[in-house]
C-alpha cells in the first residue's frame, strides 16, 4: 500500500482562487464586475474584493456588502476546499442599473420579504419627524429650571443660607395675584397654548416637505423631497413641444401642473403635458398615489394654428369649433 506522503498533493493556485471569488461575486451581484486578489498559505486562503455596487438599491450598502462577503466565502470554501476566514470587500464606486432583467435586491431581502411576525411590510404614508429642536428647547428649559430650584433648595437646607431672591420674589408675586388677575390669565393662556403645541407635535408626523416612496424590499423606507419631485415633473413637461413656462406644486395628495402654451394646438398640448407629468410621477414611485391636475393656458404670444387642407371641414364652409382659452383635467395617478 502506498504511503500517504507518496500519494501526491493537490495545490489550488492563487489564480484559481481569485477567479472563483470573482465568479462568486457576480453570482451575488448580477451584471456587476469585480476585481479580486487572493493569497494561499497552506490550507488557508485570504481573499480581497473590489466591487461596484448598484445605486439606487433597495437595501442598505452595509447589508449588501455582508451578503457578498458571506456568499463569496461559502462558494470559495466549497469549490476549493480551502479555509477562507473572511473576504475583505472594498466598494470602489456606485453605478446605476444597466439591465432590468436582474432586480437589484439583496439575497437576504429576497429570502425575508416580510416582517419577523409574518406580516408584509407596508410603506408609511408619511415619515415621522423626531422633533429635535422642540425637544431640545423644552429639555433645556426644564433642566435649567429644575436644576436651579434643586440647587437653591440644597443650598438652603445644607448651608443654612437664605433662599434666592428670584424664588422669594416669585412666591411673593404668586401670593399677591389671584386667579382673576390679568397677568395670571395671560400666563395660564400661554402655558395652555404651549401644551397644545406640544400635543400637536406629538400627534402629527411632520416632515411636510418629504413624500415616501414605494419600495419592494422589507425593512426599507425611503422618501424624496417634494421640491425634487416638482423639478422632475417640471423638466418632463418642459420637454413637450410648444410648452413655455411651467409651474409645478407638489402636495401630499395632489400635484398641480400649470403650463403655458407658446405655440401649437391646445388640446394636443394638454394631452402631451398630462402624459409627461403622469410618466414622471410614475417614475418617482410615490406612495399613496397623489391626484394630478393639469392646466394648459396659452401665453400672450400664442396664435391660433392656421387650419390646413387636411383639417376636417376645411373648404366645405364648416367652421372649426372653438377651443376654450384654457384646458384642464384632473385624475387619480396610479
Amino acid at each position: 500500500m502506498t504511503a500517504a506522503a507518496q500519494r501526491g498533493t493537490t495545490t489550488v493556485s492563487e489564480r484559481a482562487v481569485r477567479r472563483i471569488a470573482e465568479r462568486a461575486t457576480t453570482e451575488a451581484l448580477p451584471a456587476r464586475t469585480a476585481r479580486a486578489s487572493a493569497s494561499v498559505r497552506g490550507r488557508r486562503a485570504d481573499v480581497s474584493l473590489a466591487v461596484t455596487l448598484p445605486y439606487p438599491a433597495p437595501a442598505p450598502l452595509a447589508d449588501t456588502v455582508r451578503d457578498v462577503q458571506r456568499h463569496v466565502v461559502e462558494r470559495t470554501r466549497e469549490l476549493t476546499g480551502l479555509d477562507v476566514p473572511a473576504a475583505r470587500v472594498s466598494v470602489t464606486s456606485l453605478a446605476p442599473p444597466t439591465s432590468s432583467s436582474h432586480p437589484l435586491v439583496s439575497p437576504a431581502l429576497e429570502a425575508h420579504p416580510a416582517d419577523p411576525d409574518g406580516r408584509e411590510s407596508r410603506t408609511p404614508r408619511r415619515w415621522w419627524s423626531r422633533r429635535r429642536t422642540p425637544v431640545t428647547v423644552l429639555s433645556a428649559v426644564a433642566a435649567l429650571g429644575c436644576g436651579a430650584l434643586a440647587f437653591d433648595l440644597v443650598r438652603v437646607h445644607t448651608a443654612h443660607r437664605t433662599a434666592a431672591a428670584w424664588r422669594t420674589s416669585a412666591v411673593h408675586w404668586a401670593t399677591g395675584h389671584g386667579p382673576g388677575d390679568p397677568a395670571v390669565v395671560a400666563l395660564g393662556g400661554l402655558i395652555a397654548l404651549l401644551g397644545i403645541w406640544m400635543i400637536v407635535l406629538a400627534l402629527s408626523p411632520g416632515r411636510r416637505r418629504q413624500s415616501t416612496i414605494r419600495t419592494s424590499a422589507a425593512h426599507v423606507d425611503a422618501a424624496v423631497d417634494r421640491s425634487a419631485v416638482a423639478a422632475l415633473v417640471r423638466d418632463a413637461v418642459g420637454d413637450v413641444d410648444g410648452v413655455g413656462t411651467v409651474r409645478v406644486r407638489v402636495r401630499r395628495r395632489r400635484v398641480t401642473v400649470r403650463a403655458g402654451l407658446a405655440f401649437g394646438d391646445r388640446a394636443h398640448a394638454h394631452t402631451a403635458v398630462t402624459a409627461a407629468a403622469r410618466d414622471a410621477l410614475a417614475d418617482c414611485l410615490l406612495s399613496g398615489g397623489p391626484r394630478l391636475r393639469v392646466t394648459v393656458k396659452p401665453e400672450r404670444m400664442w396664435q391660433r394654428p392656421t387650419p390646413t387642407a387636411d383639417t376636417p371641414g376645411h373648404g366645405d364652409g364648416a367652421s372649426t369649433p372653438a377651443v376654450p382659452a384654457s384646458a384642464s383635467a384632473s385624475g387619480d395617478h396610479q
Side-chain angles (χ1 to χ4, degrees):
M1 183 175 182
T2 306
Q6 300 178 357
R7 296 175 188 172
T9 58
T10 301
T11 303
V12 182
S13 65
E14 294 181 352
R15 180 182 179 183
V17 175
R18 175 175 58 84
R19 296 294 296 272
I20 292 174
E22 291 178 351
R23 179 63 180 177
T25 305
T26 57
E27 293 175 356
L29 295 175
R32 296 291 165 182
T33 58
R35 297 188 305 272
S37 61
S39 61
V40 179
R41 296 180 178 88
R43 301 291 302 173
R44 173 172 174 170
D46 296 328
V47 179
S48 299
L49 302 172
V51 299
T52 300
L53 295 184
Y55 183 85
L61 298 182
D63 295 344
T64 304
V65 171
R66 282 194 293 268
D67 295 338
V68 173
Q69 286 178 321
R70 182 174 62 253
H71 185 76
V72 170
V73 169
E74 293 176 355
R75 291 291 289 169
T76 305
R77 185 181 301 164
E78 176 185 359
L79 296 178
T80 62
L82 300 176
D83 181 22
V84 183
R88 293 184 295 271
V89 179
S90 300
V91 180
T92 57
S93 61
L94 302 176
T98 57
S99 176
S100 59
S101 59
H102 301 285
L104 301 179
V105 181
S106 63
L109 294 179
E110 288 182 341
H112 305 282
D115 292 335
D117 55 1
R119 296 177 300 178
E120 294 183 357
S121 61
R122 182 176 61 88
T123 302
R125 293 186 63 89
R126 292 274 295 277
W127 269 13
W128 283 76
S129 175
R130 296 182 179 179
R131 312 291 189 185
R132 290 189 176 94
T133 301
V135 170
T136 301
V137 173
L138 182 62
S139 301
V141 172
L144 182 61
C146 295
L149 180 60
F151 176 77
D152 187 62
L153 291 175
V154 171
R155 188 173 63 91
V156 170
H157 290 283
T158 57
H160 303 287
R161 297 185 180 182
T162 59
W166 63 269
R167 190 157 65 95
T168 56
S169 299
V171 173
H172 290 319
W173 184 88
T175 56
H177 295 76
D181 191 83
V184 176
V185 174
L187 181 61
L190 181 61
I191 295 176
L193 291 178
L194 180 62
I196 294 175
W197 180 56
M198 297 301 297
I199 293 175
V200 170
L201 292 181
L203 298 180
S204 60
R207 294 195 177 186
R208 300 182 61 86
R209 298 181 180 180
Q210 293 180 339
S211 298
T212 54
I213 302 175
R214 299 191 304 271
T215 58
S216 59
H219 311 294
V220 177
D221 295 336
V224 62
D225 195 85
R226 293 179 182 174
S227 61
V229 177
L232 293 174
V233 176
R234 188 184 306 112
D235 293 341
V237 174
D239 293 337
V240 177
D241 294 337
V243 173
T245 59
V246 181
R247 291 182 299 173
V248 180
R249 186 177 182 180
V250 180
R251 291 294 182 263
R252 184 167 67 94
R253 297 182 180 274
R254 174 175 294 183
V255 177
T256 303
V257 179
R258 293 183 175 88
L261 183 62
F263 62 88
D265 183 73
R266 285 169 289 186
H268 295 169
H270 180 271
T271 303
V273 168
T274 303
R278 288 186 183 277
D279 293 342
L281 290 176
D283 293 338
C284 293
L285 299 178
L286 299 180
S287 62
R291 296 189 300 271
L292 175 64
R293 181 178 180 85
V294 177
T295 301
V296 178
K297 185 176 181 180
E299 297 181 349
R300 292 184 177 181
M301 72 287 295
W302 178 84
Q303 295 181 357
R304 185 183 299 275
T306 303
T308 60
D310 297 335
T311 303
H314 179 73
D316 55 358
S319 59
T320 303
V323 182
S326 62
S328 62
S330 61
D332 293 336
H333 167 66
Q334 301 296 333

